């Protein structure tokens, strides 16, 4: 019931934002911008590949024996789950762990999921640092730059905190003392988590590259809706996108919240509210396309497993 209510609030925000930004102008912009969507779709496919490769790096020796094509399809399925569930990253990692159960034991799967979540936070925080100069260059108003800086602080602290909690021996001992029945599971989880450094440069760098690809994708879409995008401008747009994703984490697909954040950032980006909201709406096309592909992949995978062919 809560999920339905959250989704309805998101759709309500979406409707209000489109109306406030100028629905007629948005309708004029979007058809002309659609020609750039194939490139945006290709870039989204490449970004998903970086997440798949980051998972391979997290798994170490175990990851190298899993065919990359299988890892990519697992990442597609996880992408579908993440797009329809509030705070979808946790659910997507759980789905990924289930689909990889033939290659990795449960404690390794749980460690992989928590490590991937932390790496996403760390890589997003690190990339947001580069977005701050872009925000300062596009507007004399420092509000956007401060929002991006806050994004950096919160996500970096959360990501590193997750990794410390998953790897620190004292935390393992505390869990074993307070919940003896869970002690063995906690030990196996912490041992698996310690296979990867607290901040694993390989996986984090790969996810950082994914954010760079996403920045190019948003720059393409910004150009499509009429923004004059330089490198600094592209960084500013990506900064807005990262802040929007963080603020809308509990809304499935950030519906409504992403459009609202772009609407509020229009002046800082040096554009009109209609163009800013059009950019956010246009970005929905690759997002929804790969959510659909991911959910279809998940259903086909489960059908094959039930039939005993996967």
């Amino acid at each position: 019931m809560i999920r339905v209510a959250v989704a309805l609030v998101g759709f309500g925000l979406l409707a209000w934002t489109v109306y406030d930004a100028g629905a007629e102008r948005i309708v004029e912009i979007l058809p002309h911008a659609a020609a750039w969507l194939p490139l945006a779709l290709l870039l989204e496919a490449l970004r998903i590949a970086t997440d798949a490769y980051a998972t391979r790096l997290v798994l170490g020796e175990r990851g190298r024996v899993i065919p990359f094509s299988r890892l990519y399809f697992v990442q597609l399925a996880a992408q579908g789950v993440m797009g329809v569930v509030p705070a979808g990253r946790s659910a997507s990692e759980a789905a990924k762990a289930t689909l990889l159960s033939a290659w990795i034991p449960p404690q390794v799967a749980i460690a992989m999921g928590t490590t991937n979540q932390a790496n996403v936070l760390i890589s997003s925080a690190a990339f947001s640092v580069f977005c701050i100069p872009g925000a300062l260059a596009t507007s004399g108003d420092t509000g956007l730059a401060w929002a991006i800086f806050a994004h950096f602080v919160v996500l970096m602290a959360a990501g590193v905190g997750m990794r410390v909690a998953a790897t620190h021996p004292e935390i393992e001992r505390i869990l074993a003392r307070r919940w003896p029945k869970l002690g063995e599971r906690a030990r196996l989880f912490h041992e698996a988590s310690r296979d990867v450094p607290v901040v694993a440069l390989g996986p984090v760098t790969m996810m950082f590259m994914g954010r760079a690809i996403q920045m190019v994708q948003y720059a393409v879409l910004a150009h499509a809706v009429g923004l004059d995008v330089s490198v600094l401008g592209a960084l500013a747009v990506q900064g807005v996108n990262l802040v929007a994703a963080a603020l809308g984490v509990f809304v499935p697909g950030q519906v409504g919240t992403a459009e609202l954040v772009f609407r509020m950032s229009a002046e800082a980006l040096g554009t009109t509210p209609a163009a800013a909201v059009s950019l956010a709406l246009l970005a929905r096309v690759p997002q929804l396309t790969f959510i659909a592909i991911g959910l279809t992949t998940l259903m086909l995978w489960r059908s094959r497993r039930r039939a005993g062919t996967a």
Side-chain angles (χ1 to χ4, degrees), residues 3-278:
R3 292 180 179 180
V4 174
V6 170
L8 289 174
V9 169
F11 281 110
L13 282 175
L14 174 61
W16 180 86
T17 303
V18 170
Y19 170 79
D20 180 68
E24 292 183 0
R25 179 58 184 146
I26 291 172
V27 170
E28 291 175 1
I29 293 172
L30 290 178
H32 297 288
W36 292 93
L37 285 174
L39 179 55
L41 288 164
L42 174 61
L43 290 167
E44 184 68 4
L46 290 174
R47 187 198 63 76
I48 291 170
T50 64
D51 280 355
Y53 198 79
T55 295
R56 165 173 275 188
L57 294 177
V58 165
L59 290 172
E61 292 292 335
R62 292 184 177 92
R64 283 191 279 275
V65 303
I66 305 174
F68 184 74
S69 59
R70 185 60 61 99
L71 279 170
Y72 188 80
F73 282 116
V74 166
Q75 189 64 47
L76 278 176
Q79 194 76 17
V81 173
M82 185 165 54
V84 297
V85 178
R89 176 64 64 172
S90 297
S92 74
E93 291 297 336
K96 193 186 300 183
T98 301
L99 296 175
L100 291 175
S101 59
W103 287 276
I104 55 177
Q107 67 271 16
V108 173
I110 297 170
M112 174 200 72
T114 56
T115 301
N116 276 338
Q117 289 184 68
N119 288 343
V120 167
L121 296 172
I122 294 169
S123 61
S124 295
F127 199 91
S128 66
V129 173
F130 293 87
C131 297
I132 293 174
L136 293 173
T138 56
S139 173
D141 184 357
T142 60
L144 176 57
W146 278 111
I148 297 172
F149 178 74
H151 173 274
F152 160 75
V153 172
V154 172
L155 267 66
M156 184 63 74
V160 174
M162 285 180 66
R163 291 297 296 140
V164 170
T167 58
H168 200 284
E170 183 58 31
I171 294 175
E172 178 186 337
R173 287 191 287 269
I174 291 171
L175 291 173
R177 285 198 303 268
R178 293 191 176 182
W179 295 281
K181 293 183 179 180
L182 298 177
E184 180 62 15
R185 293 182 183 179
R187 183 184 67 80
L188 292 172
F189 164 72
H190 277 81
E191 286 180 355
S193 297
R194 283 193 285 269
D195 287 343
V196 180
V198 173
V199 178
L201 290 180
V204 169
T205 299
M206 189 55 56
M207 288 185 172
F208 185 95
M209 290 175 60
R211 292 304 183 192
I213 292 170
Q214 189 178 57
M215 181 196 75
V216 175
Q217 179 193 57
Y218 270 77
V220 167
L221 297 177
H223 173 76
V225 300
L227 275 71
D228 185 15
V229 183
S230 61
V231 174
L232 288 173
L235 286 166
V237 170
Q238 176 66 344
V240 174
N241 175 49
L242 292 175
V243 171
L247 291 176
V249 67
F250 293 110
V251 181
Q254 293 88 48
V255 173
T257 58
E259 288 78 9
L260 179 60
V261 172
F262 270 91
R263 162 67 184 87
M264 294 173 63
S265 305
E267 185 176 350
L269 294 175
T271 189
T272 64
V277 175
S278 295

